[in-house]
Amino acid sequence: MAEIGPTIFTEWMRQYLDGVWKDDFPSNDTTTLRYPSFDRTLHMAEKEPNAHWFDDITTPAKETIGSVLTQSFRGAVDSLTRQHGNMGTAWQWGPHKATRITHLARLDALSALNVQIGGGRSVVNATSERHGPSWRMVVALGPTPKAYGVYPGGQSGNPGSPNYLNMLETWRTGQLNELLYLQSAQDKHPRIKRKMTLK
């Protein structure tokens, strides 16, 4: 979260993908073509460094993988400098990514803004700027299964409740709560406050 490397790498790879594919996969009012995946682009860089895709067909020069990587890195640093000033704490991954947990009503006043959390689109903690795993759960299998989970908010969904965001910090820091897993309807547990029978 406090590292600068992920910020630079993410912006660099965004510009690198543009540098490789934008001239071949144009977007306009009628057509939007998706780029090949990051994994496919990485495979091409490793196994096919002379592929014609590295050349930008809109320029007279003949671009290579080296020139695309260098140009995109410079572009990433320039872009981050314009956004955050000279390299410093504003370049750290948490502040740069500034994850937001948006309320269903999409009102900032009911949302959690600028949540300082690590993760990224393509890692285990797949939390991006706007999207991610709201529900996290780990299950330990065995004779008596145990489960642990958390989600970024309270259980009521009521913005007037004092517990509306009471599990956000637990979620943000990667902690989990042990979930109540009863073996039968007759099981008792001190965490059970009420019972409801539907007929």
Side-chain angles (χ1 to χ4, degrees):
M1 199 166 40
E3 295 85 2
I4 290 173
T7 305
I8 297 171
F9 180 79
T10 302
E11 180 60 22
W12 182 18
M13 289 302 103
R14 185 186 70 75
Q15 295 210 22
Y16 170 62
L17 288 171
D18 273 351
V20 174
W21 302 117
K22 190 172 185 177
D23 59 313
D24 301 294
F25 291 81
S27 294
N28 53 46
D29 292 339
T30 58
T31 306
T32 299
L33 300 173
R34 295 182 64 181
Y35 296 166
S37 69
F38 175 79
D39 292 341
R40 174 66 187 102
T41 309
L42 181 61
H43 177 81
M44 185 176 73
E46 292 176 340
K47 305 295 184 186
E48 306 166 54
N50 297 316
H52 73 277
W53 301 104
F54 292 113
D55 181 38
D56 184 346
I57 60 176
T58 65
T59 68
K62 171 86 171 167
E63 286 81 15
T64 65
I65 183 175
S67 61
V68 174
L69 283 167
T70 302
Q71 186 177 359
S72 58
F73 184 78
R74 287 179 178 151
V77 173
D78 288 346
S79 175
L80 292 169
T81 302
R82 282 193 302 275
Q83 288 179 62
H84 304 303
N86 291 331
M87 188 182 295
T89 55
W91 286 44
Q92 292 174 345
W93 183 234
H96 170 75
K97 185 163 66 96
T99 296
R100 60 187 290 147
I101 311 297
T102 306
H103 187 271
L104 291 175
R106 301 192 182 284
L107 297 172
D108 285 354
L110 303 179
S111 304
L113 308 178
N114 197 21
V115 178
Q116 297 296 295
I117 185 171
R121 294 177 188 276
S122 57
V123 297
V124 174
N125 180 10
T127 307
S128 71
E129 297 87 340
R130 303 289 176 268
H131 305 284
S134 58
W135 171 252
R136 293 187 189 134
M137 185 169 74
V138 175
V139 177
L141 301 176
T144 305
K146 286 192 170 185
Y148 306 85
V150 69
Y151 51 90
Q155 295 184 42
S156 70
N158 177 359
S161 167
N163 298 317
Y164 180 60
L165 291 174
N166 69 334
M167 288 192 285
L168 179 61
E169 186 63 10
T170 306
W171 179 85
R172 185 189 75 79
T173 56
Q175 301 174 64
L176 299 168
N177 297 316
E178 184 172 355
L179 304 177
L180 196 55
Y181 186 78
L182 303 177
Q183 303 296 307
S184 73
Q186 288 72 42
D187 284 359
K188 300 189 181 328
H189 195 280
R191 284 168 55 191
I192 299 176
K193 303 298 183 190
R194 295 183 186 86
K195 281 189 176 181
M196 179 184 293
T197 303
L198 301 176
K199 294 184 179 180

